Amino acid sequence: MTAFTLNVLFAVIWVAVSGSASVLNLLFGFAVSALSIGLVREQAHGVSYLRRIGRILSLLALFLRELALSAWKVAVLVTRPRLVVRPGIFSFPLTVDRDFEITLLANLITLTPGTLSVDVSEDRRTLYVHAIDCSDIEGARRDIREGFERKIMEAFR
């Protein structure tokens, strides 16, 4: 049983035992059980559940930041009188290798304005990305590698 499933189960048990089926009480039960599971797993020298939640939240914060920045860049780009872009497709060598990680990376790239994941190679080592401006392909690769891909590996390994 995964730690998250156990956490949800404990939160539901908390709601049943306390007799108050409110959203606030469920969130309280979830927080208390997350703290309890985190403390127990660290004592058993397992992967810290609380650290993993923090890393997932860090990935979410990075995505929201990148979403806002890229939306602003695309808005500025399309409102200029002269549209000066170099759209194109570039290959991104993948460090992540599990299906879940590849799918998450591709979706995060696609959800960011100005970029779109096009395909994954047969050997699952290359992701093809369409960008609205390919004037600095190495910079785009570096941003993906040091941003989304690094945070995904921190959160899920």
Side-chain angles (χ1 to χ4, degrees):
M1 183 177 293
T2 67
F4 180 75
T5 307
L6 191 61
N7 194 353
V8 171
L9 179 67
F10 284 162
V12 169
I13 290 172
W14 170 258
V15 168
V17 168
S18 67
S20 173
S22 67
V23 174
L24 190 60
N25 195 31
L26 180 67
L27 291 176
F28 177 73
F30 189 84
V32 169
S33 64
L35 183 64
S36 302
I37 292 170
L39 291 173
V40 170
R41 285 190 85 172
E42 281 187 21
Q43 296 301 320
H45 304 294
V47 176
S48 173
Y49 181 60
L50 297 176
R51 234 180 251 141
R52 177 163 288 176
I53 289 174
R55 290 176 179 170
I56 291 171
L57 291 175
S58 175
L59 174 63
L60 178 64
L62 173 69
F63 171 68
L64 293 175
R65 189 180 119 244
E66 289 294 323
L67 180 67
L69 286 174
S70 61
W72 176 256
K73 288 178 186 176
V74 170
V76 167
L77 188 68
V78 299
T79 56
R80 289 188 179 153
R82 299 178 82 193
L83 188 61
V84 182
V85 294
R86 291 185 51 208
I89 296 176
F90 64 91
S91 63
F92 176 75
L94 292 168
T95 305
V96 294
D97 55 356
R98 296 187 307 182
D99 288 340
F100 169 74
E101 295 170 339
I102 294 170
T103 303
L104 181 60
L105 178 63
N107 285 331
L108 290 174
I109 290 170
T110 297
L111 290 171
T112 305
T115 56
L116 175 72
S117 300
V118 179
D119 197 12
V120 178
S121 65
E122 294 275 334
D123 61 359
R124 299 177 348 166
R125 293 185 181 177
T126 306
L127 179 66
Y128 296 99
V129 178
H130 179 276
I132 197 167
D133 190 11
C134 283
S135 58
D136 184 15
I137 294 174
E138 283 306 314
R141 285 184 184 135
R142 184 178 53 251
D143 289 345
I144 295 171
R145 183 175 44 261
E146 294 173 1
F148 289 142
E149 192 174 43
R150 182 177 59 86
K151 291 286 187 179
I152 289 171
M153 289 184 347
E154 287 174 1
F156 298 106
R157 289 204 177 171

